[in-house]
Amino acid sequence: MFGKSGFSVGGILGDNDQEKNTSTGMIAMSVNPFLWRAALETIDFMPLNSADQVGGTIITDWYVNKNIKNKRIKIMAYIKTSELRSDGVSVKVHVQKLESGVWTDTYTDKKLASQIENNILNEARNYRINSSNK
């Protein structure tokens, strides 16, 4: 499931985690489907700007937390491998601050990026465990 909108990635991922043959018209994934799904669901509270499942890139739009109105974040997640590995995902969190009515770049939040990476990895591991129990 993708976010709260109900868009299903089950069709994208297929019934299993194996790559599909492009000559048959099916989607070939070059990234790990568990990491891909976990990344999408981990950041599903943010508006999505683009997602390239073959390239493994997910980019959100800017997100403002209703409780912190003078800062906004944008997340870029990269799934780098077809295997479920701890170094298979990389996240960057860009933060902007509102000053005098203008959004200005301030920094990249490495701590938050690391937390998001860990959440993605934990969720992907859970998907893998649950898929093997079926």
Side-chain angles (χ1 to χ4, degrees):
M1 169 114 3
F2 177 70
K4 307 296 185 243
S5 65
F7 177 85
S8 172
V9 293
I12 294 171
L13 298 177
D15 293 332
N16 58 39
D17 65 335
Q18 297 179 6
E19 293 183 5
K20 303 293 181 185
N21 184 336
T22 54
S23 66
T24 63
M26 300 297 285
I27 297 170
M29 292 189 68
S30 60
V31 299
N32 183 275
F34 299 117
L35 286 172
W36 178 256
R37 180 177 173 194
L40 285 173
E41 291 191 4
T42 298
I43 60 175
D44 72 349
F45 65 95
M46 298 184 66
L48 189 63
N49 191 2
S50 69
D52 174 8
Q53 74 183 48
V54 176
T57 305
I58 302 169
I59 303 172
T60 69
D61 204 350
W62 290 102
Y63 171 77
V64 178
N65 183 315
K66 64 181 179 180
N67 298 320
I68 309 170
K69 297 197 184 282
N70 66 335
K71 286 188 181 178
R72 67 182 185 174
I73 64 171
K74 181 176 198 164
I75 296 176
M76 302 173 94
Y78 306 98
I79 311 303
K80 305 184 294 185
T81 179
S82 61
E83 301 170 6
L84 180 52
R85 301 177 7 179
S86 62
D87 63 348
V89 62
S90 174
V91 173
K92 292 189 180 196
V93 178
H94 300 279
V95 181
Q96 288 187 333
K97 188 173 184 180
L98 185 61
E99 295 176 351
S100 303
V102 177
W103 291 105
T104 58
D105 287 330
T106 54
Y107 60 94
T108 302
D109 190 335
K110 293 181 181 180
K111 182 178 177 182
L112 181 56
S114 179
Q115 290 172 340
I116 292 170
E117 285 175 5
N118 288 334
N119 287 348
I120 291 169
L121 289 167
N122 287 333
E123 196 63 29
R125 191 171 20 255
N126 290 336
Y127 290 142
R128 173 65 186 239
I129 290 167
N130 290 335
S131 74
S132 63
N133 291 335
K134 291 182 178 181

